Amino acid sequence: MKLRTSCFLVLALATGHAAAEERHLGPHVHGQATLQVSVDGPTLAVGLSIPGHDAVGFEHPPANAEQTSTLAKATETLRGGTWLVPVAAAGCKALPAKVVADGFDASAKPGAHGDFDVTSQFTCANPAQLASLDVGLFKAFPALQRVVVDIVGANGATEQILDRTMTRVTLSP
């Protein structure tokens, strides 16, 4: 199942299709984000799904200026990409990230969940040096407790669990 989900990410990123029904990369669990990482030669592709509650503290359209500002700040943080840092030796450069904040506009159904979904891609000059990624989600979103990371690379598929004390994803075996 994990390999199947990871393969989905690779296909979705490769084809550029992220239809709404394909958008969710994992279950919606408050306190838990799902990170999908795929390494294929010089390309590092990343997909992130984080519950709205953990990113902004609510899962509905903003009700006031403070919530509007919080939503905009979270979106910009995720779009900026500084929450994910590949090891410097790999020489990776990020392409613009796509951030979808679902459940925060007027079309949101009352009581439904809200999520942020991010797709991002890096091109790495020295992919053989791409041994790890530092994930700064816990600092950016203090309500987050855990990140489930599914990785697909040349050596197969693996899963790692990150928490506040373990924020580095190891890509090499």
Side-chain angles (χ1 to χ4, degrees), residues 9-10 13-14 36-40 43-47 84 120-122:
L9 173 67
V10 171
L13 292 175
Q36 307 281 322
V37 176
S38 171
V39 179
D40 185 14
T43 302
L44 167 65
V46 178
L84 184 72
S120 182
Q121 187 170 329
F122 296 78

Side-chain angles (χ1 to χ4, degrees), residues 26-34 49-51 54 59 113 115 144 146:
H28 182 102
V29 178
H30 288 182
Q32 177 179 301
T34 303
S49 182
I50 181 170
D54 299 322
E59 295 183 329
H113 289 292
D115 293 289
L144 192 61
R146 170 180 148 129

Side-chain angles (χ1 to χ4, degrees), residues 9-10 13-14 35-48 81 83-88 90-97 118-135 149-154 169-172:
L9 173 67
V10 171
L13 292 175
L35 181 62
Q36 307 281 322
V37 176
S38 171
V39 179
D40 185 14
T43 302
L44 167 65
V46 178
L48 171 71
W83 56 269
L84 184 72
V85 180
V87 64
C92 298
K93 296 197 184 281
L95 299 175
V118 181
T119 54
S120 182
Q121 187 170 329
F122 296 78
T123 300
C124 303
N126 301 309
Q129 299 298 313
L130 187 57
S132 65
L133 308 168
D134 287 325
V135 177
V149 184
D150 291 318
I151 305 159
V152 175
V169 175
T170 302
L171 297 175
S172 58

Side-chain angles (χ1 to χ4, degrees), residues 51-120:
H53 184 270
D54 299 322
V56 295
F58 57 91
E59 295 183 329
H60 54 75
N64 54 45
E66 181 181 351
Q67 288 184 349
T68 299
S69 175
T70 300
L71 182 63
K73 182 179 175 185
T75 301
E76 188 53 38
T77 296
L78 292 168
R79 185 175 292 123
T82 57
W83 56 269
L84 184 72
V85 180
V87 64
C92 298
K93 296 197 184 281
L95 299 175
K98 179 180 177 187
V99 178
V100 176
D102 185 51
F104 296 99
D105 62 14
S107 66
K109 296 178 183 173
H113 289 292
D115 293 289
F116 287 86
D117 294 304
V118 181
T119 54
S120 182

